[in-house]
Amino acid sequence: MSAASADSANGPHPTGGPQSLVSVRNGVQPEDPQCPASACPEVYLTDRLPHAILLDALPYVDPLPAEQQQQVQQLLQQEMAAIAQEAGGPSCIPDYLKDLPFPQLPLLDDMECMLGKEMARKAKGDPIPELDMSKYTAFSVPSGAKASDPKAWESAVSQCQQLLQHAATAHINLELMNSHAAASWQRHLTNLTQAKDRMTGLAKRRAEEANSICKIRKMQQVEAAGTLKQLEQTAQEYKTNNASIIEALGPLSAEVLDLKGKCRIRGILPEYAEEDEFDLDAWHEAAGTTS
């Protein structure tokens, strides 16, 4: 599994006092105090978190083995417990979103439109109002004091016409269903089958692409492993050669020192030979070997 490179997004504040960071096209910059809040870009939420990091690359994630699922869950639980402990308890975890402004949603915030009314009803927890079907199922004849009221009879006639129209529409729908329901369902099932085939083909192509990427990645890893192994062998050969050279230099350096001692006694040792001392320990240290 390749690791994702990450850079810390919380650097130290510049000299002269803390400054808030605002989002820009290619990073963050200090906020201009003369820039009004409505004109300045919004502050990144990650800039306010104590342990925020900015990912500049995405990893290639291999499928997680089943035996590591429990370990991952334990790590997540430990991280959550550490965050709660740092905050002083689970109930003391700060609300990182409380200082951020709510998004502007003109359609949902307008209480005069249908969506606004529905969102307000949902926020109150009121149930969805049921459809009033009484005008399609009930009919009453004016009686009593309303028996002589022309408006009551006009309303009754209008309601009767609605019932007749509703019944006629239902009859037409039944006739249409008897004539076209089977064919419509067949077309619907055909469309579902075609959609399933398209999704199956798309999933197969995606799986083939993923397998191709995994194969290429595996080949690159194998090639890199061979290169690394070859370099390791070369480095080991160099170390072995250096050790052999140093081992051979041991008797020669002793002989040189003996000859220098004899020349020094006779007074015939040149001045440049006095300074040209062979440091065998330094050679051993450089080669990573011991004499």
Short mmCIF file of all heavy atoms in Angstrom, two decimals, residues 10 24 166 222-223 267:
data_model
loop_
_atom_site.label_atom_id
_atom_site.label_comp_id
_atom_site.label_asym_id
_atom_site.label_seq_id
_atom_site.Cartn_x
_atom_site.Cartn_y
_atom_site.Cartn_z
N ASN A 10 -1.05 23.84 9.20
CA ASN A 10 -1.03 24.78 10.31
C ASN A 10 0.40 25.18 10.60
O ASN A 10 1.06 24.62 11.46
CB ASN A 10 -1.65 24.16 11.57
CG ASN A 10 -3.15 24.03 11.42
OD1 ASN A 10 -3.74 24.76 10.63
ND2 ASN A 10 -3.75 23.12 12.16
N VAL A 24 -7.49 30.79 -0.81
CA VAL A 24 -7.20 31.41 -2.08
C VAL A 24 -7.07 30.31 -3.11
O VAL A 24 -7.24 29.14 -2.82
CB VAL A 24 -5.90 32.26 -2.01
CG1 VAL A 24 -6.09 33.45 -1.11
CG2 VAL A 24 -4.74 31.42 -1.53
N HIS A 166 -64.90 12.68 -11.71
CA HIS A 166 -63.92 11.78 -11.09
C HIS A 166 -64.21 10.33 -11.48
O HIS A 166 -63.29 9.56 -11.80
CB HIS A 166 -63.96 11.95 -9.58
CG HIS A 166 -63.01 11.05 -8.85
ND1 HIS A 166 -61.64 11.17 -8.92
CD2 HIS A 166 -63.25 9.98 -8.02
CE1 HIS A 166 -61.05 10.23 -8.19
NE2 HIS A 166 -62.02 9.50 -7.62
N VAL A 222 7.39 -5.16 -9.16
CA VAL A 222 8.34 -6.26 -9.38
C VAL A 222 9.63 -5.72 -10.00
O VAL A 222 10.75 -6.10 -9.60
CB VAL A 222 7.70 -7.34 -10.27
CG1 VAL A 222 8.73 -8.38 -10.68
CG2 VAL A 222 6.54 -8.01 -9.53
N GLU A 223 9.49 -4.83 -11.00
CA GLU A 223 10.68 -4.25 -11.62
C GLU A 223 11.48 -3.43 -10.60
O GLU A 223 12.71 -3.51 -10.56
CB GLU A 223 10.26 -3.37 -12.79
CG GLU A 223 9.66 -4.14 -13.96
CD GLU A 223 9.19 -3.23 -15.06
OE1 GLU A 223 9.31 -1.99 -14.88
OE2 GLU A 223 8.70 -3.72 -16.10
N GLY A 267 67.67 9.90 9.84
CA GLY A 267 67.60 11.31 9.46
C GLY A 267 67.44 11.53 7.98
O GLY A 267 67.80 12.60 7.48
#
